[in-house]
Amino acid sequence: MNLVVVSNRVARGNANEPMTGGLAAALLPVVEKSGAIWVGSSGRVRDGAQKEPFAEIEALGAGALAMLDLPAAHYGGYYEGFANSALWPALHSRADLIRASQDDYLSYREVNAFMARALLRFKKPDTAFWIQDYHFLALGAELRDLGVTQPVGFFLHTPWPARAVIEGVPHHRELIEAMLAYDLIGFQTQDDCENFLGYLSCCLGLENEDGVVTSRHGKSRIAVFPIGIDAEKFALQAAKAVSHPDVSRLRRSLNGEKLAIGVDRLDYSKGLVNRINAFDRMWTLQPALARTVSLLQIATPSRGAIEAYGNLQSELAKLVSDVNGRHGEVDWTPIRYLNKGFSQTVLAGLYRTAQVGVVTPLHDGMNLVAKEYVAAQNPADPGVLVLSKFAGAANELDTALLVNPHDIDGMARTIATALSMPLSERRMRWEAMMEKLRSHTIQQWFASFVDALQATRIDADAAVAAVLEPPALRPLRAVNAGARYH
């Protein structure tokens, strides 16, 4: 099978360059090894006068990257408009932030159609397409309209919200009907899967049978595929990274104090305001902790042209300044706040340096930072993960200290508990989490989805054969099939 993976963003795989998002970091190692072609935006746009859409095609390990210049006339409406001002807030249960115009929606559909046309050059009889994330909900339907009959799967890296929230998105019905052109639709958690199936039942009148839904497009299987990381590789990277100059400077600057770390895109779904308020509350309630622990918060800016993101950046900068002004000393800064990205190598070393990892989103699909923090720890002296119960990772990492990110006092107490946790308990919790990470790797996630996608083709071929086959031969085929599997 020739696999074509499609996402809005691609990664080139330079360990010394900042990573731009969890999806890119997750897909990179498996695309490198699987031989897949990874298609995505080049980050540039083109006007209608240019005929050749691909800016660049390059090798990526055993596979390849194909980077596409998207149409300038529609990129803003597609990306900053419908994808990130309508779908993203809805998918993260922030219906109050949904902003979308009719033009934004039309641009979103135009870019999905444009990508479908570009993908035809990769279509072979044995090709399967695997589409990633909310930028391309309608891409499967566009491929079908162009006559593609090969398997087409979709995986959502964000949560899928309750029906009442997704109904706040303009054209939600049209979009979700289009999603049913996919043979396989994967989600991070069972809750996401059930929310999606609930929408199909209530709004479209479509029931599922063992996770399979039949629509005008045919059959779609709806299933859960929790994404993982390569925990062993990340652990080795973290152990080596302790000698990196950035990591060494951080350790020297601590002067023996403990460190908590948060690493997030600057996004309202990540709970950053609540997190800073929790540390403020902790130092207020337990002044003895002043000078004994600081927070390193890395918040990489993104989507700055969208009003909600600009407002958040201003709010956070003021809040950090207020907290540092209230609790800081001439020789101690409570919160070290950085608005820039770091490479995976440096991040691995920073995670290993920190005694507490703070991952407290209000709502998250998985949150791979939580898994990376655990994998990066020193087995002899591991740190403690404080994790929001509303991150998908909480379903697996249940020996983390789970918190409600809306409960500021509760978070403050839990962070203080993490800081004073004895070594025996830290080891017990860490070992239980590492066992989960080792048994649910990124490679297993990739393979299980691809296997399930291939199975949809086998099932479809079997269904077609059953229709075309003379009735007299069907019992004989059934006997042979039974012999093959038993």
Side-chain angles (χ1 to χ4, degrees):
M1 181 184 72
N2 284 302
L3 184 65
V4 177
V5 177
V6 184
S7 65
N8 178 66
R9 202 189 330 246
V10 298
R12 278 190 162 89
N14 186 339
N16 297 313
E17 288 182 2
M19 272 292 178
T20 50
L23 184 157
L27 287 177
L28 177 65
V30 283
V31 170
E32 282 181 318
K33 291 178 181 173
S34 70
I37 299 169
W38 187 1
V39 183
S41 168
S42 66
R44 296 182 293 270
V45 296
R46 69 181 187 102
D47 61 37
Q50 293 172 280
K51 290 184 179 177
E52 178 53 60
F54 280 102
E56 204 172 343
I57 298 179
E58 63 184 46
L60 180 69
L65 285 182
M67 286 161 288
L68 184 67
D69 293 353
L70 296 181
H74 295 291
Y75 185 80
Y78 147 77
Y79 183 74
E80 291 169 350
F82 198 79
N84 286 309
S85 294
L87 289 175
W88 179 271
L91 293 169
H92 291 85
S93 299
R94 288 299 303 270
D96 58 310
L97 294 177
I98 294 172
R99 307 281 186 274
S101 68
Q102 177 70 7
D103 285 347
D104 288 344
Y105 178 69
L106 293 176
S107 289
Y108 179 86
R109 294 303 300 256
E110 282 289 338
V111 170
N112 275 240
F114 177 87
M115 180 62 82
R117 293 192 297 273
L119 290 173
L120 290 181
R121 68 163 57 191
F122 300 109
K123 182 171 74 76
K124 298 176 182 175
D126 64 342
T127 297
F129 295 94
W130 185 5
I131 315 304
Q132 309 287 327
D133 229 5
Y134 63 100
H135 308 88
F136 294 122
L137 297 184
L139 182 48
E142 299 291 351
L143 286 169
R144 299 302 188 208
D145 285 349
L146 294 173
V148 171
T149 57
Q150 286 85 346
V152 185
F154 174 82
F155 183 79
L156 185 68
H157 292 258
T158 71
W160 186 273
R163 175 174 57 87
V165 178
I166 205 70
E167 285 182 324
V169 175
H171 306 282
H172 59 90
R173 184 185 180 99
E174 212 174 293
L175 270 179
I176 294 167
E177 284 180 338
M179 286 177 71
L180 295 175
Y182 290 113
D183 297 296
L184 177 63
I185 301 174
F187 294 97
Q188 296 277 27
T189 72
Q190 191 61 41
D191 284 349
D192 299 329
C193 199
E194 288 172 4
N195 283 343
F196 185 77
L197 290 171
Y199 177 97
L200 297 183
S201 175
C202 291
C203 298
L204 302 183
L206 300 175
E207 298 302 328
N208 79 92
E209 186 174 338
D210 295 327
V212 176
V213 175
T214 303
S215 71
R216 64 183 178 85
H217 295 287
K219 292 186 184 297
S220 301
R221 183 183 165 208
I222 320 297
V224 178
F225 300 88
I227 195 167
I229 64 169
D230 187 335
E232 298 294 354
K233 180 181 175 184
F234 202 84
L236 288 171
Q237 198 173 15
K240 289 179 183 175
V242 293
S243 60
H244 190 282
D246 286 349
V247 180
S248 299
R249 284 200 305 274
L250 172 64
R251 278 206 317 277
R252 285 196 301 271
S253 74
L254 290 171
N255 296 317
E257 74 188 69
K258 291 185 176 180
L259 182 72
I261 190 169
V263 177
D264 309 84
R265 270 192 319 102
L266 209 162
D267 190 285
Y268 47 76
S269 68
K270 303 300 182 184
L272 293 169
V273 170
N274 295 28
R275 186 182 307 167
I276 302 300
N277 282 329
F279 275 86
D280 180 25
R281 189 73 176 140
M282 181 187 74
W283 286 310
T284 299
L285 293 173
Q286 302 192 44
L289 289 176
R291 304 183 67 92
T292 68
V293 58
S294 59
L295 169 66
L296 171 60
Q297 178 59 59
I298 296 168
T300 313
S302 68
R303 306 170 190 161
I306 298 173
E307 184 182 4
Y309 288 82
N311 292 343
L312 176 62
Q313 186 159 10
S314 300
E315 182 183 3
L316 270 171
K318 182 179 186 307
L319 181 59
V320 169
S321 177
D322 289 348
V323 173
N324 282 341
R326 191 155 43 248
H327 299 289
E329 304 286 351
V330 291
D331 60 345
W332 178 63
T333 303
I335 299 175
R336 305 170 182 220
Y337 180 57
L338 301 177
N339 286 140
K340 62 180 183 179
F342 290 87
S343 69
Q344 286 289 94
T345 299
V346 172
L347 284 177
L350 299 180
Y351 292 142
R352 196 177 180 94
T353 303
Q355 285 75 24
V356 179
V358 191
V359 182
T360 55
L362 305 178
H363 204 178
D364 225 337
M366 179 54 69
N367 199 300
L368 294 179
V369 167
K371 296 187 173 187
E372 290 172 351
Y373 175 79
V374 171
Q377 295 310 294
N378 178 354
D381 187 20
V384 180
L385 176 63
V386 175
L387 177 62
S388 166
K389 62 176 68 175
F390 304 124
N395 292 321
E396 296 166 75
L397 305 182
D398 53 0
T399 56
L401 294 183
L402 299 181
V403 295
N404 172 4
H406 301 285
D407 178 3
I408 305 301
D409 281 8
M411 272 204 293
R413 288 191 299 271
T414 302
I415 295 164
T417 297
L419 290 163
S420 62
M421 187 179 290
L423 177 60
S424 58
E425 185 179 351
R426 285 189 277 124
R427 276 183 175 165
M428 178 201 72
R429 290 175 179 273
W430 176 81
E431 285 165 2
M433 289 189 283
M434 276 301 287
E435 190 176 335
K436 298 275 183 72
L437 296 188
R438 291 187 185 109
S439 61
H440 297 93
T441 66
I442 181 75
Q443 290 84 2
Q444 287 168 325
W445 169 80
F446 191 91
S448 64
F449 191 98
V450 172
D451 287 349
L453 185 56
Q454 282 184 297
T456 66
R457 161 50 62 90
I458 294 167
D459 291 346
D461 288 349
V464 170
V467 170
L468 298 177
E469 195 171 49
L473 295 181
R474 289 179 195 167
L476 180 60
R477 247 173 60 87
V479 169
N480 290 340
R484 192 167 65 246
Y485 289 112
H486 295 288

